[in-house]
Structure formats: structure tokens, C-alpha cells
Amino acid sequence: MAGVETMAREENGQAGDQVTSLSRAVERKRYTPVLLEEQEKEAEDLRSVLTRKLKKKCLCSPSRAKELVLGFFPILSWLPQYRPKECLLGDVMSGLIVAILLVPQSIAYSLLAGQEPVYGLYTSFFSCIIYAVLASSRHVSVGIFGVLCLLVGQVVDRELQAAGYTSEGGRNQTGMTGAGNLTAGMTCDQSCYAISVATMLTFMAGLYQVLMGLFQVGFVSVYLSDSLLSGFATGASLTILTSQVRHLLGLKLPRVQGLGSLVKTWVSLFQNLKDTNLCDLVTSLLCLLVLVPTKELNDRYKAKLKAPIPMELLVVIVATLASHYGRFEERFHSGVAGTIPTGFQPPQMPDWSLIPNVALDAFSIAIIGFAITVSLSEMFAKKHGYTVDANQEMYAIGFCNILPSFFRCFTTSAALTKTLVKDSTGCHTQLSSLVTALVLLLVLLVIAPLFYSLQKCVLGVIIIVNLRGALRKFGEIPQMWRVNRVDAAIWLVTMATSALANTELGLLVGVAFSAFCVLARTQRARAAKLGRAGESGLYEDLSAYRGLQAHAGFIVFRFEAPVYYANQSLFKKALYRCTELDPVQEAALRRKEQQQQNKKRKKEKDKEKEEEAGLEGRGGASPDSGVATVAQLIVPEKRSFHTLVIDCGPVLFLDTAGVNALKEVYRDYKELGVGVLLAQCNPSVLDSLRRGGYLQQGSDEAQLVFCTISDAVGSTQSYCTENGGCEIDSHC
């Protein structure tokens, strides 16, 4: 009796197991993948699109006119809402402090740009007013920027040499009067011609910037990475430092032009070291001993100091008094700033004949000035919780160059040091720029002539001391290399080219090298074979994580880059390497073996005709066994996988070459009996597949794309279970 019960329980258990396995099979057979219904998009032809956009842009109404005016003149938006109790004290203080820093720097950077000191004061004055009216940024301070002054100075020196002004010379007493009569056809001396070149260069740079704003190309700044701009600024800083050493030593040497100017300048300095002016050298050393520690104290205790110590202005005042009462110019032949006239000169038109000479140089200056201004404005806007319009910033900095060019000014842009000072001293709005302009106006009308005896070596020291921030980047190279080697390489290449070859060439090489690095990253994209994490739908790299499971009969492949013309061959090579099956070579091998087999059969038939009697005993064995043997070598009875799933999640886009590559993969693997499925395609990739003919409406190929990898695997398993095997046909 007990045996019967035992047998009954066993039969029930077997029946239960059969029911369980059957239910599991039914579940797998009924697997339903996720289906997404795409929204229908209304087709709109190009004419209707252009018409709609033109109507939107050209709509004339009071509200539209008000919006345009307020957008172009942001000061009309924030000035009526100005809160004096909260903002006035901070704006006035920051404006005064920036002006105190700006006066000596304006005079010093005029030297770097190859201009008379008064032109630097003009430039700072006009740019502060125009930027306050047109800028969308509340905290950026515009004015003279060292890198742009270097570029302007290089162009000015080149044109002076081309025009026959070959001597270094001193200050030009007739330069101020001659410049105003340039358009009247009177003789123009070296100073007059130098400012004519600078103003034409500034006008063209501003024109480029306004045109870029007009065509809404403010996005170009994103292509100038931080590492590129930092490397360019550091390389230019080395050139600036080299160009100012001659003033520190009191040497009257012409500025070297062309490739390798930095090395040539140092060679020239060492060759003329015996002619060093001891008065200028001692003055330079004393100024360095005072300014460098003070700058370090300002940086270290900037959080505790309500305002930075204006040591530059104090050094300028003391050095001017010492030079005047010590009669350094007469006794030691020291180079001095010279006559700085008061007031303003009447506006004059730029010299249009210089356009062919400076048009190309102006473009690089426009790009650099805009990129620096936009990056600084966005950085401080993010810090203080508001937004800036990149195109409006383009307009603002463009008109800061166009309008002042009629008043003998040279190129300006945002300045990091003065912006940091402005922000740290309580600035709230651009009213602080107007306060700075008022102080500069006072200097231009009253104080400027007092700087006659200021030594040029003091101005050179001020320029060099302000390069500390850029030169400190050399100490950050190991950290940059550890964080990101590609960015570090971009920084090194841009810096080295800017310093050792040419400043403009350094920017061009940096942009080209950055683009090459981006392209190289897609060329060396990571490819991986994926496995599933437990029972979840997460698939990750089998070589990167432990505990992942690979599906029997499936290979899940991921290529972490777009597939386009430049890397489509690399995509296929990576796929063949991960699957360990090259369908092209396999197909070629099969064709070769088939040809050999056909030849063998033909020979055997010929032999059968000649030896019919002798071949009857073994006629059934030799050909068939040979075919079976070769077939077994070519097509194994049990393949390692029957389905290939390509994870298209990291594939951002496909071009025509990429779609054709997927077509080839699908066709080649299908010939070997392996199905190819695509998973996690974004709408852009799906659209490319449809337009490229990979997916066609109503065809079986439309079932090759799944929303997830789990759907692709589950659907194939259900199909194989339903059909009693995984022999892949056109459905897969």
C-alpha cells in the first residue's frame, strides 16, 4: 500500500514538473516587448518654415518694438528698477577701486599695444560706458586685456615696419597732432600711423563681432574649450613677458616679428645685455620687490580684505615723483611715458586703405575677445543666479570696439582680474562701470599730464606682475595630466605653439588639435560584450563588472560612439573582434571551399566515366564523405551564438556610411544564420535607419528594433521556444 502511495506521489510530482515547465514555456512564448507609438509630425516645407520665422522676426507691434529696444539696451530694463539703498554703495565702491587699478594698467598696456599712454585711457573710458549700456552681464568689467594688446601690438609693429618705420625711437612729440589730420592728407608720423593701424584693426574686430551676433552665432564660443583658452593665454603671457624684459633692462630694441619671435627676442636680449640701463634695472627690481608680495597678500587675504591694496597706483605715484625730481630721463636716459595731453581729440574716420592688411588679424582678435567675454559673463551669471544672452554680449563687446575706434582707441574685452575685484568689492550692476568711467574722465581732464616722468620700466613691471595667474598654470600641469590627459595635451600644444611659433598660429593650432582630439575619441571608441545583472534588465560590460551573466546563444554588443563615415570600419572590426566571427572572411572561406569541392566532384565524375567498373564499390563513400567532412569544417553543427543584439544607446547619430555599415552587418551575419537585432535606438537613429532603407514600413525588418535589450532577448527566446529551435530565418 505504501509503495502504491509512493508511486502516486512520484507520478503527481512528475505531472507537476511537467505543468510547471509547460507554464514556463507558455510564459516565455507569450513574452510581449514594449511598444512605443510615435507621434505624428506635421510635414512643413522649407518655404512655410522661412515664412513663419520671418513673420516672427519682422512682426511690427508696440510690444515687439519695446521688446527689441529693451533687449538691445539692457540698461533700460534694470536702471528703472535700481534699488539705491541695496546697491548704490557697493556699485560706487567697486567702481572706484576698479578705476584705481585701471589707470596704471591702461597706461602700461598702451606700451604693450605699441601706442601712446593716452590712447589706453581713451580705450578704458569709452568701453566702460558702452558696455554698461549694452551688456546683459551685471558684473563683468571690460577694458584693456593683455593678450589682445599683445596681438594689437604685433600687428602694429608689422605694419610700421612695412611702412618704413624701422627704428624703435622714443616718444613722438608730433604724434598727437598728426593723428587728427590723417584723413586730411597731412604727414603722419610713427605714433599717428600706429594708432591708425590699431583703430582700423579694432573697427574690423568689432564689425566681425557684431556680424556674428546678427547671425546668431554666439554658440561658437563652446568650441573654444577651457583648456584651449588657458593654454593660449599662458603661451601669450610668455610672449608678453619676453616683450617687456627689454623695458625692464632699459634696452631700446625693436619688437621681433614672425615665427619663433620668443626665442629670437631672448637671443637679442642676451646679445645686448651689455647695454643695460642700470637706473631702469634698479627701478624694475625695486618695483618687483614691492608689487609681487603685495599681490600675493591680496590673493591670500582677499576674503578678509574689504578692498585690495592699490599698490600699483602707489608704485606709479612714487616712481613718477622719484623720476621727476631725480631727473632720470636727463641724467640716466631712462625711457619715460612722455606727454599725456588732457581732454579729447575730435573723432576721425579709420583709414579704410588698411583693411586688406588687418582683416585677417582682426578675425582672430574678434574670436578671442568674444570667447573671453562670454565665458566670464556666463561664469559670474551662474554664480549670482541670473542668465546672460551670448548674442547680446557679442553686440556689446562689438560696439565697444566699433564706436571707440573713431576716438583713437584699440581693442578691448572682458578682463578677469578686474572682474574678480569688481565682484569681491560689492558690485551689483553695471552702474559701477559708469563710476569707473567718471574717475577715468577726471584723469583725462586733469591728472594725466602728471605722469610725464613715469618710467617705461615701471609700466613693464606692472604688466609682468599681472601675468602671475597665467604663469601659475605651469605648476598645475601634473594635476591636469592626472585629471584628463587629452585636455592636458590640448593645453600643452596650444601653449607651446602660441609661445614658440606665433600667437595667432597658436590659437589656430589649438582649435585644430582640439577638433582632432574629438575625432580621435570617436576613432578609439570603447566596444564591449555585455552581460545581464541578475534578473534585472541592466546590461553592462562583462570585462568591467563581476557577476554578470551572458545569455546562451546571444551576444550583446555595445559601441560607445556615433557610427559615421570616419569610424564605420572601426565599428565593424570591433564587432567582429567581440563576436570572434568575421562574416566576410567566413563567407569567403566557404566560397573557396565550395569551389574546391566542385572541382573535386568534377574530377571524380571524370574518373567515374573512365573507370565505371572500378568505382562502383566505393562510389557512394568518397564524394559524400568528402562533402560531409568539408561541411563539418565550414559549418559547425553547434554554433556559439544564433542572435546578435547591438545596443544602440550610446550611438548618438548615424550618417549614410553608418547606416550602410549596419546593412552590411545584417546581411553578412544573416548569410551565416545569425540574426541581428537593434536595441535602445534614439529617435534620431531610428529616423536615419528609415531614411537609409535599413527599416522599411511593413517589412519584417521593422521587427528588428526593440526598446530595450531585454525585449530583444526575450522576444527571440519566445520565438525559438514556439518554433522548437533557434534556427534563424528572415524573421530575425
Side-chain angles (χ1 to χ4, degrees), residues 102-172:
L102 196 56
V103 170
Q105 290 184 13
S106 298
I107 298 174
Y109 282 115
S110 299
L111 185 69
L112 182 61
Q115 306 300 326
E116 298 287 342
V118 70
Y119 297 139
L121 295 172
Y122 287 166
T123 301
S124 298
F125 171 75
F126 285 108
S127 62
C128 285
I129 297 176
I130 297 171
Y131 192 78
V133 174
L134 297 178
S136 60
S137 173
R138 304 173 193 170
H139 297 84
V140 166
S141 175
V142 298
I144 298 178
F145 182 56
V147 175
L148 295 185
C149 289
L150 172 67
L151 297 176
V152 171
Q154 289 176 341
V155 176
V156 168
D157 285 351
R158 184 191 69 202
E159 294 303 316
L160 286 175
Q161 292 179 8
Y165 298 101
T166 56
S167 62
E168 170 70 13
R171 53 188 173 86
N172 293 284

Side-chain angles (χ1 to χ4, degrees), residues 282-299:
V282 172
T283 304
S284 301
L285 292 176
L286 291 175
C287 292
L288 284 172
L289 290 175
V290 173
L291 285 177
V292 172
T294 307
K295 288 283 188 179
E296 292 296 328
L297 288 175
N298 282 335
D299 291 343

Side-chain angles (χ1 to χ4, degrees), residues 259-571:
L259 297 177
S261 58
L262 184 139
V263 177
K264 295 177 182 177
T265 300
W266 280 106
V267 171
S268 177
L269 287 171
F270 282 112
Q271 289 176 346
N272 294 274
L273 202 58
K274 60 182 182 299
D275 299 326
T276 299
N277 188 306
L278 292 180
C279 178
D280 287 343
L281 178 60
V282 172
T283 304
S284 301
L285 292 176
L286 291 175
C287 292
L288 284 172
L289 290 175
V290 173
L291 285 177
V292 172
T294 307
K295 288 283 188 179
E296 292 296 328
L297 288 175
N298 282 335
D299 291 343
R300 180 169 297 183
Y301 298 105
K302 60 183 177 182
K304 297 180 180 180
L305 294 173
K306 293 183 179 180
I309 303 172
M311 189 55 67
E312 289 180 347
L313 184 61
L314 296 177
V315 166
V316 167
I317 294 173
V318 173
T320 303
L321 293 174
S323 176
H324 176 73
Y325 290 105
R327 294 183 299 157
F328 289 171
E329 184 181 14
E330 295 83 2
R331 294 172 57 190
F332 305 108
H333 305 289
S334 294
V336 296
T339 302
I340 304 178
T342 57
F344 294 90
Q345 300 179 55
Q348 72 170 28
M349 297 291 288
D351 187 357
W352 308 115
S353 63
L354 293 172
I355 291 180
N357 299 356
V358 301
L360 187 60
D361 302 288
F363 184 75
S364 61
I365 291 176
I367 293 294
I368 296 168
F370 163 69
I372 293 171
T373 303
V374 170
S375 60
L376 280 181
S377 61
E378 290 180 345
M379 180 175 68
F380 283 92
K382 183 179 180 180
K383 177 181 178 180
H384 293 279
Y386 64 93
T387 58
V388 293
D389 184 357
N391 290 304
Q392 182 60 30
E393 289 297 308
M394 187 101 73
Y395 286 130
I397 199 63
F399 282 108
C400 280
N401 289 320
I402 289 179
L403 298 180
S405 67
F406 294 92
F407 296 90
R408 300 170 181 84
C409 301
F410 48 90
T411 313
T412 60
S413 73
L416 176 60
T417 304
K418 292 184 282 292
T419 302
L420 290 172
V421 171
K422 193 175 181 181
D423 178 61
S424 63
T425 51
C427 171
H428 295 281
T429 66
Q430 285 295 338
L431 185 66
S432 61
S433 296
L434 298 179
V435 175
T436 302
L438 287 176
V439 177
L440 291 172
L441 180 63
L442 177 64
V443 172
L444 282 167
L445 295 178
V446 180
I447 304 175
L450 301 179
F451 294 110
Y452 174 92
S453 298
L454 178 62
Q455 291 171 273
K456 289 185 177 181
C457 64
V458 177
L459 301 177
V461 169
I462 293 175
I463 294 173
I464 291 175
V465 169
N466 282 285
L467 300 176
R468 291 160 37 259
L471 297 178
R472 280 175 178 167
K473 292 292 183 179
F474 285 104
E476 300 176 7
I477 293 177
Q479 176 66 16
M480 286 191 293
W481 187 261
R482 286 192 296 268
V483 173
N484 191 305
R485 294 186 178 183
V486 175
D487 288 342
I490 293 173
W491 188 93
L492 289 170
V493 169
T494 308
M495 182 276 300
T497 311
S498 300
L500 300 177
N502 181 275
T503 310
E504 295 90 341
L505 182 62
L507 179 65
L508 181 62
V509 170
V511 172
F513 187 72
S514 297
F516 172 77
C517 289
V518 173
L519 184 63
R521 289 181 182 183
T522 63
Q523 294 290 302
R524 299 183 60 184
R526 190 166 175 266
K529 188 187 298 186
L530 308 183
R532 188 174 68 175
E535 297 299 326
S536 66
L538 177 64
Y539 286 79
E540 282 299 336
D541 186 0
L542 286 168
S543 62
Y545 300 97
R546 297 178 181 177
L548 300 180
Q549 300 175 354
H551 292 284
F554 289 85
I555 287 184
V556 183
F557 173 76
R558 174 186 292 168
F559 188 74
E560 299 178 354
V563 183
Y564 64 110
Y565 71 94
N567 69 348
Q568 52 90 17
S569 61
L570 299 174
F571 163 76

Side-chain angles (χ1 to χ4, degrees), residues 497-675:
T497 311
S498 300
L500 300 177
N502 181 275
T503 310
E504 295 90 341
L505 182 62
L507 179 65
L508 181 62
V509 170
V511 172
F513 187 72
S514 297
F516 172 77
C517 289
V518 173
L519 184 63
R521 289 181 182 183
T522 63
Q523 294 290 302
R524 299 183 60 184
R526 190 166 175 266
K529 188 187 298 186
L530 308 183
R532 188 174 68 175
E535 297 299 326
S536 66
L538 177 64
Y539 286 79
E540 282 299 336
D541 186 0
L542 286 168
S543 62
Y545 300 97
R546 297 178 181 177
L548 300 180
Q549 300 175 354
H551 292 284
F554 289 85
I555 287 184
V556 183
F557 173 76
R558 174 186 292 168
F559 188 74
E560 299 178 354
V563 183
Y564 64 110
Y565 71 94
N567 69 348
Q568 52 90 17
S569 61
L570 299 174
F571 163 76
K572 291 189 289 186
K573 290 179 180 179
L575 176 61
Y576 300 158
R577 185 173 61 253
C578 284
T579 59
E580 298 180 356
L581 176 62
D582 186 341
V584 178
Q585 293 183 0
E586 185 68 17
L589 178 61
R590 292 191 179 192
R591 286 193 296 269
K592 182 178 179 180
E593 294 292 344
Q594 186 64 38
Q595 291 175 358
Q596 293 178 356
Q597 187 63 29
N598 291 338
K599 290 180 180 179
K600 185 177 180 180
R601 288 181 179 177
K602 185 177 180 181
K603 290 180 180 180
E604 290 179 351
K605 288 182 180 179
D606 293 340
K607 288 182 180 180
E608 286 180 355
K609 292 180 180 179
E610 296 176 357
E611 304 175 357
E612 289 182 356
L615 291 174
E616 284 181 358
R618 54 177 186 161
S622 179
D624 293 341
S625 61
V627 173
T629 303
V630 176
Q632 289 174 0
L633 291 174
I634 301 172
V635 188
E637 294 181 358
K638 186 177 182 181
R639 297 191 302 272
S640 61
F641 67 100
H642 53 75
T643 303
L644 171 64
V645 180
I646 300 177
D647 178 14
C648 297
V651 180
L652 300 180
F653 64 87
L654 294 171
D655 66 353
T656 304
V659 175
N660 291 335
L662 287 176
K663 285 182 180 180
E664 293 175 9
V665 167
Y666 172 79
R667 183 178 62 251
D668 294 340
Y669 275 106
K670 182 180 176 182
E671 291 179 357
L672 301 182
V674 176

